[in-house]
Amino acid sequence: MRRIPATLAVLALATVTTACGTLSPPGEQSVAKARLVDDRPVRDGGTLTIGLKSDPDMLDPSLTSTLVARTVFASMCEQLYDVDQHNKFVPQLADSLPVLTDGGKTFTFTVRRDARFSDGTPLDAAAVKTSLDRHLHLEGSGRASEIDSVRKVTTPGTYTVRLYLKHPDTPLLGRLANTAGLIMSPTAIKKYGKKFATHPSCVGPFKYEKRVIGDRIELKKDPLYYDADKVHLDGVTYKTITDGNIRMANIRSGDVQVGDQMGPVEVRSSLGEKGVQLLNTPSLGYMAMTLNVGNTHGISGRPGTVNNPFGRDVRVREALDLSLDRDLINKLVFQGMYAPACGPVPPGTPLSTPTPCPKRDIPKAKRLLKAAGVKTPVPLELMINTTPEDNRLGQVIQAMAKDAGFDIRLRPTEFATGLSRTLAGDFQSRTGGWGGQPDPAGNIDSLVGTAGSNNQGKLSDPVIDRLIVEGRSTADTAKRREIYRKLTLAINKQHSVLYLYRNINYVSASTDVSGIKLSGDGLIKAEEAGYVKGSR
Amino acid sequence: MNRLRTLLTSYLARRLGMSLVTMVLVSIAVFLGVRAMPGDTAQALAGEQTSPEVLASIRQEYGLDDNIAVQYWRYVSHAATGDLGTSARTGLPVLDAIREALPITLELAALALLLAVVVGIGAGVLAAVRKGKPSEWLANGIALLGMSVPSFWLGIILVLAFAIATPVFAASGFVPFGTDPLENLRRLVLPAIVLGSGLAAVVMRQTRAAMLDSLSADYTRTARAKGLTRRQVIGGHALRNSLVTVVTVLGLQLGQLISGAVVTEQVFVLPGFGKLTIDAVFTRDYAMVQGVVLFTSAAYILVNLLVDFLYSVVDPRIRLGGAR
């Protein structure tokens, strides 16, 4: 009995010292350049556990609405097209890029002949038609609006699919390289109907095995996969670990091998650390501060004029924009781990043009406010999410804007509440992001077009609307690039959506794992992954 | 004997009726409470990047555009047949999720309770017996730490120390006892320590106080005078009498053990009841929140009913709601 307190004291001391020992200081490893692949040779066997930031919703390509579900689909459901590591569209279940005829209104492609769904059903044009029809017509389908330019799907040959479009829709290819291009087994669709998510069956290197809500999704190697020879792992398990620190702790302990969507703080803390490697790719989306300039009747109503200085006068909005220093925001809030953004089109994609970010200019901002005749400080309520990062972001914006003559009050609001307030037009400004799509139309049309279903601030500008239509119906890449350059300038001229920064998708992984690939849109591809030869 | 049986039957019927009424009230409260949460459910389900048509069809699909009374009746009539619905977020049955999660939380709570009892009573006895010595100060200090340290922080420190630096235990996850008993313990020991530490501290302080009372009581002095050994006096007399208070405290703290599991399950990524509830609340998964709360309430009511019934069987004075 006498020894117990002493033992406890030693144990407590050991706890503190060993814990400190594992916390590595930031190293010198650079993250400035994208690193999308680790190709050391791997051995066969083993199960890879991937830690996800949130629990996926329905594992049904037609009904899902989360990016994290797409992360899981990346291992078990292939798409018609994919985005390669240079953000170019490449065929996946289709075996060639589409042929556009009839002025861009007919979209024809063929599908690969060697693929089978995990339930044994062969992939053919009819199977693709079944999936696309389901995307278009299933009640509650999140894909219907994404491919609503499709009037009819036909199958002129066993492996040939033809889409008849209502109007030319160049960005359609981008959507078929996204969730709308996910193809499901027609047998499983017939058998499970709306309950497809309970037994998802697609073409992929791994097939669905089991799901425990809030915990994990287990997949195992699919021997029917057309490239099964290249698959080394016996299975992949997706585990939901919402807290970034805990996700990193699990990678360090070896319980999890890959951590998706790691935050800047965790990445910084692990740089240069033995046993942990980093893969990263720039996001195709953006984060912005949206000002409510016309959402007076709800998001589905007609745009009105918001009766405050920001709604009435573009000079006040420009002054606010000029008060912000995007580089400093990135440094202060994200430890310099993200990239400043000043437009909706992600750099590095084939349709992007370099856009210089406006520099912080307080004298000019003050002159604009004076010219607008507003009384300073100009009050503004900024709705932010209840995350620590958004809190910091809000505080930095608040401090910067104060210098120019703005009085920003922060209103931290929980996600669902914030969303309903935004849709109802019950907000002055908010911070928020867009996941992003490889085709710039996906980052623009619905967000700043007058009729856009996600146009939260209800910006309405005829020049923007005209350019949106032009961008959608032009097929020539050079011409489209020029249209999106003009579109970016037109959007920025309105200062209604203040683009702030662009995430970088960080994936941390244990060094005994290799063969992981990140696609241009940040998804983890585990089909060629495995444990490094000689590892456990 | 016949009269006793009649009284017992009517008592049971009365209690059952009251339990049923309580359940209905709970179900109404949960149903309305969940709907009173700010934020649009369909929007929370569909996420930000969706269209009005999708929202409308989600509302229709889950009957969210129906009258609230209609929604309640539909829910309660299904629940009465054991159908708690399907999770609107994942499309999987609520009952399956509960069935998977419940044993994990129960096992975690039981293990934490065991740790709290063993460590708390042991340290409490030690502190009382060695009053005024360094070991008492240390035990008191550790108890104070146990009560003050946030479980989230303690969890991360334990993971860093015993799952990363010295990989004795696992940092996360759950393996059923039936599948691999050793692995099960390897994954549950750290969470049980985190969950049980607060309770152990409370138990330690209660034990110490009760033991100090007992050690200065007349019966202890008598026991010593009879020539009993130190071990017999402490274990057989003082501790035995102190345990009455400790057991009462344990009973009162049990509920907190289950609710405290929410944070512990988040840190150790245990797919238990607490994690299930939190995830469901954040995603506005009505069916899941209702199912979980309803299930918990039913369990509480059932346990109370059983305890009352057992009281009445064991002790006739408590029996039958005052019937003479």
Side-chain angles (χ1 to χ4, degrees):
Chain A
M1 286 296 262
R2 192 181 289 263
R3 280 185 194 161
I4 289 175
T7 315
L8 285 175
V10 170
L11 196 64
L13 190 66
T15 306
V16 174
T17 48
T18 49
C20 290
T22 60
L23 291 170
S24 299
E28 295 303 315
Q29 189 180 330
S30 167
V31 291
K33 215 174 155 193
R35 182 171 171 250
L36 300 159
V37 66
D38 168 21
D39 48 13
R40 290 168 293 152
V42 298
R43 63 173 166 79
D44 286 337
T47 299
L48 189 74
T49 303
I50 300 176
L52 301 175
K53 190 180 178 184
S54 55
D55 200 30
D57 61 340
M58 287 195 208
L59 294 180
D60 181 326
S62 300
L63 299 175
T64 181
S65 61
T66 58
L67 176 69
V68 69
R70 239 191 115 215
T71 308
V72 178
F73 286 136
S75 286
M76 67 171 192
C77 282
E78 291 198 336
Q79 304 159 167
L80 288 172
Y81 295 96
D82 199 7
V83 181
D84 74 4
Q85 300 189 326
H86 308 288
N87 286 311
K88 285 197 175 141
F89 296 116
V90 289
Q92 195 174 50
L93 288 181
D95 71 357
S96 60
L97 286 172
V99 176
L100 294 173
T101 51
D102 189 20
K105 286 170 73 177
T106 307
F107 187 105
T108 308
F109 60 92
T110 51
V111 295
R112 47 186 321 144
R113 293 159 185 254
D114 55 352
R116 297 182 89 79
F117 294 97
S118 60
D119 61 5
T121 312
L123 174 84
D124 55 15
V128 173
K129 175 177 161 55
T130 306
S131 274
L132 293 180
D133 281 342
R134 186 174 188 267
H135 286 332
L136 277 167
H137 305 302
L138 182 73
E139 198 180 321
S141 167
R143 308 291 80 76
S145 59
E146 293 169 12
I147 53 170
D148 60 359
S149 61
V150 177
R151 184 167 53 83
K152 193 170 68 169
V153 183
T154 62
T155 54
T158 313
Y159 295 99
T160 308
V161 183
R162 184 163 295 149
L163 311 180
Y164 291 96
L165 311 185
K166 294 172 191 161
H167 50 78
D169 185 13
T170 308
L172 179 63
L173 175 61
R175 295 190 208 108
L176 295 179
N178 209 293
T179 320
L182 289 166
I183 303 300
M184 301 157 271
S185 154
T187 310
I189 289 176
K190 196 174 171 195
K191 190 171 174 188
Y192 299 110
K194 281 203 96 170
K195 291 192 179 296
F196 179 85
T198 57
H199 298 83
S201 172
C202 305
V203 177
F206 301 94
K207 61 178 181 178
Y208 178 84
E209 187 73 4
K210 184 187 179 192
R211 174 173 194 177
V212 178
I213 294 182
D215 182 38
R216 63 186 189 279
I217 294 163
E218 293 175 11
L219 311 181
K220 72 172 185 183
K221 184 176 172 174
D222 185 358
L224 297 176
Y225 181 56
Y226 58 86
D227 251 347
D229 293 348
K230 289 186 182 166
V231 180
H232 302 285
L233 292 165
D234 295 332
V236 176
T237 298
Y238 289 91
K239 206 167 170 53
T240 308
I241 307 178
T242 48
D243 188 281
N245 283 315
I246 297 171
R247 218 153 57 246
M248 185 53 87
N250 274 270
I251 293 171
R252 289 175 173 134
S253 74
D255 289 86
V256 165
Q257 288 79 45
V258 182
D260 189 27
Q261 293 190 55
M262 303 304 290
V265 176
E266 296 93 47
V267 172
R268 263 260 169 247
S269 78
S270 70
L271 286 184
E273 187 175 320
K274 200 181 159 197
V276 181
Q277 61 172 321
L278 189 68
L279 298 162
N280 62 318
T281 171
S283 156
L284 294 173
Y286 61 78
M287 296 299 282
M289 176 175 171
T290 300
L291 290 159
N292 185 359
V293 291
N295 191 348
T296 49
H297 304 99
I299 199 152
S300 47
R302 292 174 62 82
T305 302
V306 170
N307 194 19
N308 67 22
F310 298 90
R312 286 192 299 261
D313 199 327
V314 70
R315 288 172 294 185
V316 180
R317 304 200 293 264
E318 186 180 356
L320 178 65
D321 201 355
L322 286 169
S323 75
L324 304 177
D325 182 335
R326 288 162 171 80
D327 279 318
L328 200 56
I329 289 175
N330 182 34
K331 276 182 197 147
L332 293 174
V333 185
F334 306 107
Q335 310 195 2
M337 303 290 282
Y338 287 163
C342 37
V345 186
T349 52
L351 294 178
S352 68
T353 316
T355 316
C357 282
K359 291 282 172 212
R360 188 176 197 229
D361 191 340
I362 295 297
K364 188 176 175 189
K366 283 182 173 169
R367 281 201 302 277
L368 282 167
L369 287 183
K370 198 171 174 187
V374 290
K375 191 182 160 208
T376 54
V378 187
L380 178 69
E381 185 179 90
L382 174 60
M383 191 158 68
I384 54 173
N385 290 321
T386 50
T387 60
E389 277 185 0
D390 236 41
N391 223 339
R392 286 203 303 272
L393 176 66
Q395 286 166 2
V396 171
I397 291 175
Q398 187 181 43
M400 286 178 170
K402 191 179 175 191
D403 293 346
F406 294 95
D407 174 21
I408 295 187
R409 280 165 291 118
L410 300 179
R411 181 162 185 162
T413 311
E414 175 268 335
F415 170 74
T417 311
L419 203 51
S420 39
R421 285 190 60 197
T422 304
L423 298 178
D426 179 20
F427 75 109
Q428 291 186 346
S429 64
R430 68 165 295 193
T431 53
W434 182 251
Q437 291 183 14
D439 192 289
N443 287 2
I444 294 173
D445 297 10
S446 74
L447 292 128
V448 287
T450 301
S453 58
N454 287 298
N455 184 351
Q456 298 176 344
K458 274 288 171 198
L459 172 65
S460 177
D461 178 52
V463 177
I464 294 174
D465 290 345
R466 180 175 54 77
L467 288 167
I468 283 176
V469 175
E470 274 183 36
R472 204 185 293 161
S473 46
T474 306
D476 182 81
T477 302
K479 282 183 185 161
R480 285 194 84 205
R481 192 182 299 118
E482 177 57 17
I483 291 168
Y484 286 109
R485 189 188 67 81
K486 285 183 186 164
L487 203 38
T488 300
L489 291 176
I491 296 166
N492 284 348
K493 198 175 160 191
Q494 292 296 324
H495 305 281
S496 163
V497 179
L498 312 183
Y499 301 98
L500 296 176
Y501 64 94
R502 206 156 256 123
N503 285 358
I504 290 180
N505 301 309
Y506 287 114
V507 171
S508 295
S510 159
T511 46
D512 58 5
V513 171
S514 181
I516 299 165
K517 286 181 181 164
L518 295 192
S519 62
D521 49 6
L523 297 183
I524 298 170
K525 303 285 178 84
E527 63 200 68
E528 291 175 36
Y531 288 89
V532 174
K533 284 180 178 165
S535 67
R536 64 202 154 106
Chain B
M1 198 61 190
N2 272 346
R3 181 174 148 67
L4 184 66
R5 190 170 297 140
T6 316
L7 279 173
L8 201 62
T9 314
S10 82
Y11 169 72
L12 267 181
R14 202 167 60 239
R15 286 304 317 258
L16 269 174
M18 278 165 63
S19 302
L20 216 64
V21 172
T22 313
M23 271 309 292
V24 171
L25 290 176
V26 165
S27 70
I28 293 174
V30 172
F31 188 82
L32 294 178
V34 169
R35 272 150 189 82
M37 290 198 298
D40 180 78
T41 314
Q43 189 70 54
L45 284 173
E48 198 154 355
Q49 304 173 11
T50 193
S51 65
E53 296 81 31
V54 173
L55 289 179
S57 77
I58 288 179
R59 286 198 185 96
Q60 198 188 3
E61 163 87 14
Y62 293 101
L64 296 170
D65 46 3
D66 284 337
N67 179 305
I68 197 124
V70 174
Q71 289 186 47
Y72 174 72
W73 177 247
R74 189 169 45 226
Y75 175 68
V76 92
S77 53
H78 280 106
T81 62
D83 173 14
L84 293 176
T86 53
S87 158
R89 198 169 57 83
T90 61
L92 302 176
V94 169
L95 203 59
D96 283 3
I98 291 176
R99 222 178 272 149
E100 297 254 15
L102 191 63
I104 299 168
T105 303
L106 289 182
E107 192 188 341
L108 174 65
L111 212 56
L113 184 68
L114 183 73
L115 275 170
V117 168
V118 172
V119 175
I121 293 181
V125 171
L126 181 80
V129 172
R130 304 192 56 83
K131 190 171 184 297
K133 305 227 165 107
S135 44
E136 192 215 357
W137 302 340
L138 190 68
N140 276 337
I142 290 173
L144 193 66
L145 269 179
M147 279 191 282
S148 342
V149 165
S151 46
F152 197 83
W153 183 84
L154 180 64
I156 289 184
I157 290 294
L158 287 180
V159 166
L160 287 171
F162 299 111
I164 298 174
T166 323
V168 183
F169 299 106
S172 70
F174 178 79
V175 172
F177 191 80
T179 310
D180 186 346
L182 262 180
E183 191 57 30
N184 170 272
L185 284 178
R186 210 172 80 83
R187 285 170 191 272
L188 279 185
V189 166
L190 293 186
I193 291 173
V194 171
L195 185 59
S197 61
L199 183 57
V202 174
V203 170
M204 180 266 161
R205 291 176 73 89
Q206 287 294 336
T207 309
R208 178 182 165 274
M211 278 294 285
L212 285 175
D213 281 348
S214 298
L215 286 172
S216 60
D218 289 344
Y219 61 82
T220 311
R221 207 172 304 129
T222 310
R224 281 199 192 106
K226 282 197 306 192
L228 296 183
T229 61
R230 186 177 155 83
R231 184 182 290 255
Q232 283 170 325
V233 172
I234 294 171
H237 289 74
L239 179 60
R240 209 164 161 181
N241 282 295
S242 307
L243 282 183
V244 179
T245 325
V246 175
V247 168
T248 312
V249 170
L250 272 177
L252 291 172
Q253 296 278 332
L254 268 179
Q256 284 187 19
L257 208 57
I258 302 286
S259 54
V262 172
V263 176
T264 312
E265 286 174 5
Q266 292 286 347
V267 177
F268 290 94
V269 202
L270 287 171
F273 225 58
K275 194 168 181 299
L276 191 68
T277 314
I278 292 287
D279 290 348
V281 169
F282 276 118
T283 51
R284 299 292 193 278
D285 195 345
Y286 281 2
M288 190 62 79
V289 176
Q290 285 165 181
V292 167
V293 179
L294 212 62
F295 194 87
T296 315
S297 313
Y300 266 98
I301 290 169
L302 191 70
V303 168
N304 271 325
L305 193 67
L306 280 175
V307 169
D308 283 0
F309 176 64
L310 286 177
Y311 271 155
S312 72
V313 171
V314 172
D315 186 347
R317 284 174 304 178
I318 303 171
R319 185 189 298 159
L320 315 181
R324 300 277 183 275

